Every structure is written in structure tokens, then in C-alpha cells.
Short mmCIF file of all heavy atoms in Angstrom, two decimals:
data_model
loop_
_atom_site.label_atom_id
_atom_site.label_comp_id
_atom_site.label_asym_id
_atom_site.label_seq_id
_atom_site.Cartn_x
_atom_site.Cartn_y
_atom_site.Cartn_z
N MET A 178 -14.52 102.31 54.30
CA MET A 178 -13.74 102.50 53.08
C MET A 178 -14.11 101.33 52.12
O MET A 178 -14.11 100.22 52.49
CB MET A 178 -12.29 102.44 53.44
CG MET A 178 -11.39 102.57 52.29
SD MET A 178 -9.63 102.52 52.60
CE MET A 178 -9.44 103.58 53.97
N ASP A 179 -14.36 101.72 50.92
CA ASP A 179 -14.72 100.74 49.89
C ASP A 179 -13.55 100.37 49.06
O ASP A 179 -13.51 99.21 48.54
CB ASP A 179 -15.78 101.38 49.00
CG ASP A 179 -17.12 101.61 49.75
OD1 ASP A 179 -17.52 100.81 50.58
OD2 ASP A 179 -17.76 102.63 49.42
N LEU A 180 -12.57 101.23 48.93
CA LEU A 180 -11.53 100.89 47.95
C LEU A 180 -10.24 101.66 48.44
O LEU A 180 -10.37 102.86 48.84
CB LEU A 180 -11.96 101.40 46.54
CG LEU A 180 -11.04 101.04 45.35
CD1 LEU A 180 -10.96 99.53 45.18
CD2 LEU A 180 -11.54 101.73 44.14
N SER A 181 -9.10 101.07 48.28
CA SER A 181 -7.88 101.81 48.55
C SER A 181 -6.84 101.38 47.53
O SER A 181 -6.90 100.31 46.90
CB SER A 181 -7.37 101.55 49.96
OG SER A 181 -6.93 100.25 50.07
N ALA A 182 -5.85 102.25 47.34
CA ALA A 182 -4.76 102.01 46.44
C ALA A 182 -3.46 102.52 47.12
O ALA A 182 -3.01 103.60 46.95
CB ALA A 182 -4.97 102.72 45.10
N PRO A 183 -2.85 101.67 47.96
CA PRO A 183 -1.81 102.08 48.79
C PRO A 183 -0.47 102.44 48.07
O PRO A 183 0.26 103.25 48.56
CB PRO A 183 -1.58 100.88 49.76
CG PRO A 183 -2.09 99.71 49.07
CD PRO A 183 -3.22 100.28 48.26
N GLY A 184 -0.24 101.94 46.92
CA GLY A 184 1.01 102.28 46.18
C GLY A 184 2.27 101.90 46.87
O GLY A 184 3.04 102.80 47.21
N VAL A 185 2.51 100.65 47.11
CA VAL A 185 3.72 100.21 47.80
C VAL A 185 4.54 99.43 46.84
O VAL A 185 4.08 98.47 46.17
CB VAL A 185 3.26 99.30 48.98
CG1 VAL A 185 4.53 98.76 49.67
CG2 VAL A 185 2.39 100.10 50.00
N GLN A 186 5.81 99.81 46.72
CA GLN A 186 6.77 99.12 45.87
C GLN A 186 6.32 98.94 44.40
O GLN A 186 6.35 97.91 43.77
CB GLN A 186 7.13 97.77 46.41
CG GLN A 186 7.90 97.79 47.73
CD GLN A 186 9.26 98.40 47.54
OE1 GLN A 186 10.02 98.01 46.66
NE2 GLN A 186 9.67 99.37 48.40
N LEU A 187 5.79 100.12 43.86
CA LEU A 187 5.34 100.10 42.44
C LEU A 187 6.56 100.33 41.52
O LEU A 187 7.40 101.17 41.79
CB LEU A 187 4.34 101.20 42.25
CG LEU A 187 3.10 101.08 43.10
CD1 LEU A 187 2.22 102.32 42.91
CD2 LEU A 187 2.33 99.87 42.68
N LEU A 188 6.57 99.60 40.42
CA LEU A 188 7.67 99.76 39.44
C LEU A 188 7.38 100.88 38.53
O LEU A 188 6.30 100.96 37.98
CB LEU A 188 7.77 98.39 38.65
CG LEU A 188 9.00 98.30 37.76
CD1 LEU A 188 10.31 98.34 38.57
CD2 LEU A 188 8.92 97.01 37.00
N GLY A 189 8.36 101.81 38.36
CA GLY A 189 8.16 102.92 37.50
C GLY A 189 9.45 103.30 36.75
O GLY A 189 10.53 102.77 37.08
N ALA A 190 9.28 104.06 35.71
CA ALA A 190 10.43 104.43 34.86
C ALA A 190 11.39 105.42 35.65
O ALA A 190 10.84 106.25 36.37
CB ALA A 190 9.93 105.12 33.62
N HIS A 191 12.65 105.23 35.50
CA HIS A 191 13.67 106.11 36.11
C HIS A 191 14.92 106.03 35.29
O HIS A 191 15.61 104.99 35.25
CB HIS A 191 13.93 105.70 37.56
CG HIS A 191 14.71 106.73 38.30
ND1 HIS A 191 16.04 107.04 37.98
CD2 HIS A 191 14.34 107.49 39.31
CE1 HIS A 191 16.38 107.95 38.79
NE2 HIS A 191 15.44 108.33 39.57
N PRO A 192 15.28 107.07 34.58
CA PRO A 192 16.40 107.03 33.68
C PRO A 192 17.73 107.02 34.39
O PRO A 192 18.75 106.67 33.78
CB PRO A 192 16.33 108.42 32.89
CG PRO A 192 15.50 109.28 33.78
CD PRO A 192 14.55 108.40 34.53
N GLY A 193 17.81 107.29 35.73
CA GLY A 193 19.02 107.27 36.45
C GLY A 193 19.54 105.86 36.86
O GLY A 193 20.67 105.78 37.39
N PHE A 194 18.77 104.82 36.58
CA PHE A 194 19.15 103.51 36.99
C PHE A 194 19.49 102.71 35.69
O PHE A 194 18.85 102.88 34.65
CB PHE A 194 18.10 102.82 37.79
CG PHE A 194 18.00 103.37 39.15
CD1 PHE A 194 17.02 104.32 39.44
CD2 PHE A 194 18.80 102.94 40.20
CE1 PHE A 194 16.95 104.81 40.69
CE2 PHE A 194 18.66 103.39 41.49
CZ PHE A 194 17.71 104.41 41.75
N ALA A 195 20.40 101.78 35.76
CA ALA A 195 20.80 100.93 34.57
C ALA A 195 19.65 100.19 34.03
O ALA A 195 19.52 100.05 32.82
CB ALA A 195 21.91 99.95 34.99
N THR A 196 18.72 99.73 34.89
CA THR A 196 17.55 98.98 34.34
C THR A 196 16.53 99.97 33.76
O THR A 196 15.62 99.52 33.08
CB THR A 196 16.89 98.27 35.48
OG1 THR A 196 16.41 99.23 36.52
CG2 THR A 196 17.79 97.25 36.18
N GLY A 197 16.61 101.23 34.00
CA GLY A 197 15.67 102.16 33.47
C GLY A 197 14.40 102.24 34.36
O GLY A 197 13.39 102.94 34.01
N THR A 198 14.39 101.47 35.44
CA THR A 198 13.27 101.46 36.31
C THR A 198 13.71 101.60 37.83
O THR A 198 14.86 101.37 38.12
CB THR A 198 12.42 100.17 36.21
OG1 THR A 198 13.27 99.06 36.55
CG2 THR A 198 11.93 99.94 34.75
N ALA A 199 12.77 101.93 38.67
CA ALA A 199 12.98 101.95 40.09
C ALA A 199 11.69 101.61 40.79
O ALA A 199 10.54 101.68 40.20
CB ALA A 199 13.47 103.34 40.52
N ARG A 200 11.75 101.24 42.05
CA ARG A 200 10.54 101.01 42.82
C ARG A 200 10.17 102.19 43.68
O ARG A 200 11.08 102.81 44.27
CB ARG A 200 10.72 99.72 43.72
CG ARG A 200 11.00 98.54 42.87
CD ARG A 200 10.20 97.33 43.48
NE ARG A 200 10.32 96.21 42.54
CZ ARG A 200 9.32 95.73 41.85
NH1 ARG A 200 8.15 96.35 41.89
NH2 ARG A 200 9.45 94.72 41.04
N TRP A 201 8.95 102.50 43.75
CA TRP A 201 8.43 103.72 44.43
C TRP A 201 7.28 103.33 45.36
O TRP A 201 6.59 102.36 45.13
CB TRP A 201 7.95 104.75 43.46
CG TRP A 201 8.98 105.08 42.38
CD1 TRP A 201 9.09 104.50 41.19
CD2 TRP A 201 9.97 106.08 42.43
NE1 TRP A 201 10.13 105.05 40.48
CE2 TRP A 201 10.68 106.04 41.26
CE3 TRP A 201 10.37 107.00 43.43
CZ2 TRP A 201 11.68 106.88 40.96
CZ3 TRP A 201 11.38 107.80 43.14
CH2 TRP A 201 12.07 107.81 41.92
N SER A 202 7.10 104.12 46.39
CA SER A 202 5.91 103.93 47.30
C SER A 202 5.30 105.26 47.62
O SER A 202 6.00 106.28 47.62
CB SER A 202 6.35 103.24 48.60
OG SER A 202 6.86 101.97 48.36
N GLY A 203 4.00 105.31 47.82
CA GLY A 203 3.34 106.52 48.23
C GLY A 203 2.05 106.69 47.49
O GLY A 203 1.80 106.11 46.44
N THR A 204 1.18 107.51 48.04
CA THR A 204 -0.12 107.74 47.47
C THR A 204 -0.03 108.48 46.10
O THR A 204 -0.96 108.39 45.32
CB THR A 204 -1.00 108.52 48.44
OG1 THR A 204 -0.35 109.73 48.83
CG2 THR A 204 -1.38 107.72 49.70
N SER A 205 1.06 109.25 45.91
CA SER A 205 1.20 109.91 44.65
C SER A 205 1.22 108.94 43.49
O SER A 205 0.66 109.22 42.39
CB SER A 205 2.44 110.79 44.62
OG SER A 205 2.36 111.78 45.55
N PHE A 206 1.80 107.83 43.70
CA PHE A 206 1.91 106.75 42.69
C PHE A 206 0.58 106.06 42.53
O PHE A 206 0.18 105.73 41.39
CB PHE A 206 3.07 105.78 43.01
CG PHE A 206 4.39 106.50 43.07
CD1 PHE A 206 4.90 106.85 44.31
CD2 PHE A 206 5.02 106.86 41.89
CE1 PHE A 206 6.07 107.53 44.39
CE2 PHE A 206 6.19 107.57 41.96
CZ PHE A 206 6.74 107.90 43.23
N SER A 207 -0.10 105.75 43.59
CA SER A 207 -1.33 105.04 43.45
C SER A 207 -2.43 105.90 42.83
O SER A 207 -3.29 105.38 42.13
CB SER A 207 -1.82 104.52 44.85
OG SER A 207 -1.91 105.53 45.80
N ALA A 208 -2.33 107.18 43.06
CA ALA A 208 -3.33 108.10 42.48
C ALA A 208 -3.30 108.08 40.95
O ALA A 208 -4.32 108.05 40.25
CB ALA A 208 -3.11 109.52 42.99
N ALA A 209 -2.06 108.00 40.44
CA ALA A 209 -1.89 107.89 39.00
C ALA A 209 -2.44 106.59 38.42
O ALA A 209 -3.04 106.55 37.39
CB ALA A 209 -0.45 108.02 38.63
N LEU A 210 -2.28 105.50 39.15
CA LEU A 210 -2.82 104.23 38.72
C LEU A 210 -4.35 104.22 38.72
O LEU A 210 -4.99 103.68 37.81
CB LEU A 210 -2.24 103.06 39.57
CG LEU A 210 -0.76 102.85 39.49
CD1 LEU A 210 -0.30 101.77 40.47
CD2 LEU A 210 -0.39 102.41 38.03
N VAL A 211 -4.94 104.72 39.77
CA VAL A 211 -6.39 104.84 39.81
C VAL A 211 -6.97 105.73 38.76
O VAL A 211 -7.91 105.38 38.05
CB VAL A 211 -6.88 105.32 41.24
CG1 VAL A 211 -8.38 105.55 41.25
CG2 VAL A 211 -6.48 104.28 42.29
N SER A 212 -6.30 106.88 38.53
CA SER A 212 -6.71 107.76 37.39
C SER A 212 -6.58 107.01 36.05
O SER A 212 -7.50 107.18 35.22
CB SER A 212 -5.86 108.99 37.41
OG SER A 212 -5.92 109.75 38.58
N GLY A 213 -5.58 106.27 35.85
CA GLY A 213 -5.43 105.52 34.68
C GLY A 213 -6.48 104.45 34.48
O GLY A 213 -7.05 104.27 33.38
N ALA A 214 -6.84 103.79 35.61
CA ALA A 214 -7.95 102.79 35.52
C ALA A 214 -9.22 103.42 35.17
O ALA A 214 -10.00 102.93 34.34
CB ALA A 214 -8.03 102.10 36.90
N CYS A 215 -9.47 104.60 35.76
CA CYS A 215 -10.73 105.31 35.45
C CYS A 215 -10.73 105.74 33.97
O CYS A 215 -11.79 105.59 33.27
CB CYS A 215 -10.82 106.63 36.24
SG CYS A 215 -11.22 106.33 37.96
N ALA A 216 -9.63 106.18 33.41
CA ALA A 216 -9.51 106.53 32.04
C ALA A 216 -9.80 105.38 31.06
O ALA A 216 -10.49 105.47 30.03
CB ALA A 216 -8.19 107.20 31.71
N LEU A 217 -9.24 104.23 31.46
CA LEU A 217 -9.49 102.98 30.62
C LEU A 217 -10.94 102.55 30.65
O LEU A 217 -11.53 102.20 29.61
CB LEU A 217 -8.57 101.83 31.13
CG LEU A 217 -7.11 102.00 30.84
CD1 LEU A 217 -6.32 100.93 31.63
CD2 LEU A 217 -6.81 101.93 29.36
N VAL A 218 -11.59 102.60 31.80
CA VAL A 218 -12.98 102.28 31.84
C VAL A 218 -13.81 103.32 31.09
O VAL A 218 -14.73 102.85 30.31
CB VAL A 218 -13.49 102.19 33.37
CG1 VAL A 218 -14.95 102.01 33.40
CG2 VAL A 218 -12.78 101.04 34.06
N LEU A 219 -13.54 104.56 31.23
CA LEU A 219 -14.30 105.53 30.45
C LEU A 219 -14.04 105.47 28.93
O LEU A 219 -14.92 105.84 28.19
CB LEU A 219 -13.95 106.94 31.03
CG LEU A 219 -14.61 107.27 32.37
CD1 LEU A 219 -14.05 108.65 32.87
CD2 LEU A 219 -16.11 107.23 32.29
N ASP A 220 -12.86 105.00 28.55
CA ASP A 220 -12.63 104.83 27.15
C ASP A 220 -13.53 103.77 26.57
O ASP A 220 -14.00 103.87 25.45
CB ASP A 220 -11.19 104.41 26.90
CG ASP A 220 -10.81 104.34 25.42
OD1 ASP A 220 -11.06 105.36 24.72
OD2 ASP A 220 -10.31 103.30 24.98
N LEU A 221 -13.83 102.73 27.35
CA LEU A 221 -14.73 101.65 26.93
C LEU A 221 -16.16 102.04 27.04
O LEU A 221 -16.99 101.56 26.25
CB LEU A 221 -14.41 100.37 27.74
CG LEU A 221 -13.11 99.78 27.57
CD1 LEU A 221 -12.91 98.60 28.60
CD2 LEU A 221 -12.93 99.26 26.15
N SER A 222 -16.55 102.83 28.07
CA SER A 222 -17.89 103.24 28.32
C SER A 222 -17.95 104.71 28.65
O SER A 222 -18.07 105.13 29.83
CB SER A 222 -18.47 102.43 29.52
OG SER A 222 -18.36 101.02 29.23
N PRO A 223 -17.81 105.59 27.69
CA PRO A 223 -17.70 107.03 27.94
C PRO A 223 -18.92 107.68 28.57
O PRO A 223 -18.87 108.74 29.12
CB PRO A 223 -17.42 107.62 26.54
CG PRO A 223 -17.71 106.58 25.53
CD PRO A 223 -17.71 105.23 26.25
N SER A 224 -20.08 107.02 28.53
CA SER A 224 -21.24 107.60 29.10
C SER A 224 -21.50 107.23 30.57
O SER A 224 -22.58 107.62 31.12
CB SER A 224 -22.46 107.21 28.25
OG SER A 224 -22.67 105.84 28.29
N LEU A 225 -20.61 106.51 31.16
CA LEU A 225 -20.75 106.12 32.51
C LEU A 225 -20.85 107.29 33.45
O LEU A 225 -20.10 108.34 33.39
CB LEU A 225 -19.56 105.25 33.09
CG LEU A 225 -19.61 103.80 32.73
CD1 LEU A 225 -18.33 103.13 33.36
CD2 LEU A 225 -20.80 103.13 33.21
N GLU A 226 -21.79 107.30 34.35
CA GLU A 226 -21.92 108.30 35.41
C GLU A 226 -20.84 108.08 36.54
O GLU A 226 -20.38 106.89 36.64
CB GLU A 226 -23.32 108.25 36.05
CG GLU A 226 -24.45 108.61 35.06
CD GLU A 226 -24.43 110.02 34.64
OE1 GLU A 226 -24.04 110.91 35.47
OE2 GLU A 226 -24.70 110.35 33.49
N PRO A 227 -20.52 109.05 37.27
CA PRO A 227 -19.51 108.86 38.31
C PRO A 227 -19.70 107.64 39.24
O PRO A 227 -18.78 106.91 39.53
CB PRO A 227 -19.48 110.18 39.09
CG PRO A 227 -19.92 111.15 38.10
CD PRO A 227 -20.93 110.46 37.18
N GLY A 228 -20.93 107.44 39.67
CA GLY A 228 -21.27 106.31 40.53
C GLY A 228 -21.04 105.00 39.90
O GLY A 228 -20.52 104.03 40.46
N ALA A 229 -21.37 104.83 38.62
CA ALA A 229 -21.20 103.60 37.84
C ALA A 229 -19.75 103.39 37.60
O ALA A 229 -19.25 102.24 37.60
CB ALA A 229 -21.95 103.72 36.58
N LEU A 230 -18.96 104.45 37.36
CA LEU A 230 -17.50 104.36 37.19
C LEU A 230 -16.91 103.76 38.47
O LEU A 230 -16.08 102.87 38.41
CB LEU A 230 -16.92 105.69 36.84
CG LEU A 230 -15.38 105.79 36.73
CD1 LEU A 230 -14.84 104.75 35.70
CD2 LEU A 230 -14.94 107.14 36.41
N GLN A 231 -17.22 104.39 39.60
CA GLN A 231 -16.73 103.91 40.86
C GLN A 231 -17.09 102.44 41.10
O GLN A 231 -16.21 101.66 41.46
CB GLN A 231 -17.29 104.75 42.06
CG GLN A 231 -16.86 104.29 43.35
CD GLN A 231 -17.40 105.05 44.52
OE1 GLN A 231 -17.94 106.19 44.28
NE2 GLN A 231 -17.29 104.56 45.68
N GLN A 232 -18.31 102.04 40.75
CA GLN A 232 -18.72 100.69 40.94
C GLN A 232 -17.90 99.74 40.02
O GLN A 232 -17.54 98.61 40.45
CB GLN A 232 -20.23 100.57 40.67
CG GLN A 232 -20.75 99.16 41.07
CD GLN A 232 -20.65 98.92 42.60
OE1 GLN A 232 -21.06 99.74 43.42
NE2 GLN A 232 -19.99 97.81 42.93
N ALA A 233 -17.66 100.18 38.83
CA ALA A 233 -16.86 99.31 37.87
C ALA A 233 -15.46 99.10 38.40
O ALA A 233 -14.92 97.95 38.37
CB ALA A 233 -16.81 99.98 36.49
N ILE A 234 -14.86 100.18 38.96
CA ILE A 234 -13.49 100.00 39.54
C ILE A 234 -13.58 99.10 40.79
O ILE A 234 -12.65 98.23 41.02
CB ILE A 234 -12.96 101.42 39.95
CG1 ILE A 234 -12.73 102.29 38.73
CG2 ILE A 234 -11.60 101.26 40.67
CD1 ILE A 234 -11.79 101.81 37.69
N GLU A 235 -14.55 99.31 41.66
CA GLU A 235 -14.67 98.42 42.79
C GLU A 235 -14.98 96.95 42.48
O GLU A 235 -14.38 96.04 43.13
CB GLU A 235 -15.80 98.93 43.70
CG GLU A 235 -15.50 100.22 44.43
CD GLU A 235 -16.66 100.72 45.29
OE1 GLU A 235 -17.58 100.06 45.56
OE2 GLU A 235 -16.60 101.91 45.76
N ASP A 236 -15.74 96.77 41.45
CA ASP A 236 -16.03 95.34 40.96
C ASP A 236 -14.74 94.61 40.45
O ASP A 236 -14.63 93.44 40.60
CB ASP A 236 -17.09 95.34 39.98
CG ASP A 236 -18.46 95.74 40.50
OD1 ASP A 236 -18.63 95.75 41.72
OD2 ASP A 236 -19.39 96.05 39.66
N ALA A 237 -13.80 95.43 39.94
CA ALA A 237 -12.61 94.84 39.37
C ALA A 237 -11.48 94.72 40.40
O ALA A 237 -10.45 94.05 40.15
CB ALA A 237 -12.10 95.68 38.19
N ALA A 238 -11.65 95.30 41.59
CA ALA A 238 -10.65 95.30 42.58
C ALA A 238 -10.40 93.92 43.17
O ALA A 238 -11.32 93.09 43.23
CB ALA A 238 -11.03 96.25 43.70
N VAL A 239 -9.23 93.72 43.69
CA VAL A 239 -8.88 92.42 44.33
C VAL A 239 -8.70 92.70 45.82
O VAL A 239 -8.03 93.58 46.24
CB VAL A 239 -7.59 91.88 43.74
CG1 VAL A 239 -7.09 90.67 44.49
CG2 VAL A 239 -7.68 91.61 42.32
N ASP A 240 -9.37 91.88 46.66
CA ASP A 240 -9.25 92.02 48.09
C ASP A 240 -7.91 91.44 48.54
O ASP A 240 -7.71 90.27 48.43
CB ASP A 240 -10.51 91.32 48.78
CG ASP A 240 -10.53 91.55 50.26
OD1 ASP A 240 -9.70 92.28 50.76
OD2 ASP A 240 -11.39 90.93 50.89
N VAL A 241 -7.08 92.33 49.04
CA VAL A 241 -5.84 91.87 49.54
C VAL A 241 -5.75 91.92 51.04
O VAL A 241 -4.82 91.65 51.64
CB VAL A 241 -4.61 92.53 48.86
CG1 VAL A 241 -4.58 92.29 47.45
CG2 VAL A 241 -4.74 94.06 49.16
#
């Protein structure tokens, strides 16, 4: 495995709480974050091929 996005205790919007936010966990949440990261990278470099996009995301990742 080269990269993972576990999505544990992510802060997200929730209108049912006084703070307007709630903490969530699960791959559904991490998938949205990875998709957003891909969109941001492609906005800066729209001609990136899939392999180069993956490499850019991996290069920016933090080893935890």
C-alpha cells in the first residue's frame, strides 16, 4: 500500500448540533477528502496524467 486515508474523527458540517459541526469516521469521509485533494492538484496542473496525479498526492502525504 502506498497511500491510505483512514478518515478517523474528521470534523464536518452538521446542522443538528449547536456548533454546526460533528466528528465523523469512516472511508466515506476520507474518500471525499482524497477526491478534493485530487481536484485541487488538477486545478493547478490540469494536464497531469493519472500516474503523475497519484505521485503528487503521495509526495504531499505525511507518514503517520
Side-chain angles (χ1 to χ4, degrees):
M178 181 181 313
D179 296 322
L180 187 65
S181 68
V185 177
Q186 292 294 313
L187 300 172
L188 188 62
H191 193 292
F194 289 95
T196 62
T198 62
R200 296 223 174 251
W201 307 91
S202 296
T204 56
S205 297
F206 300 100
S207 58
L210 294 176
V211 173
S212 297
C215 289
L217 289 171
V218 172
L219 287 174
D220 185 54
L221 295 173
S222 302
S224 64
L225 277 182
E226 296 292 326
L230 173 60
Q231 178 181 344
Q232 190 62 54
I234 298 294
E235 288 179 12
D236 290 346
V239 176
D240 186 4
V241 294

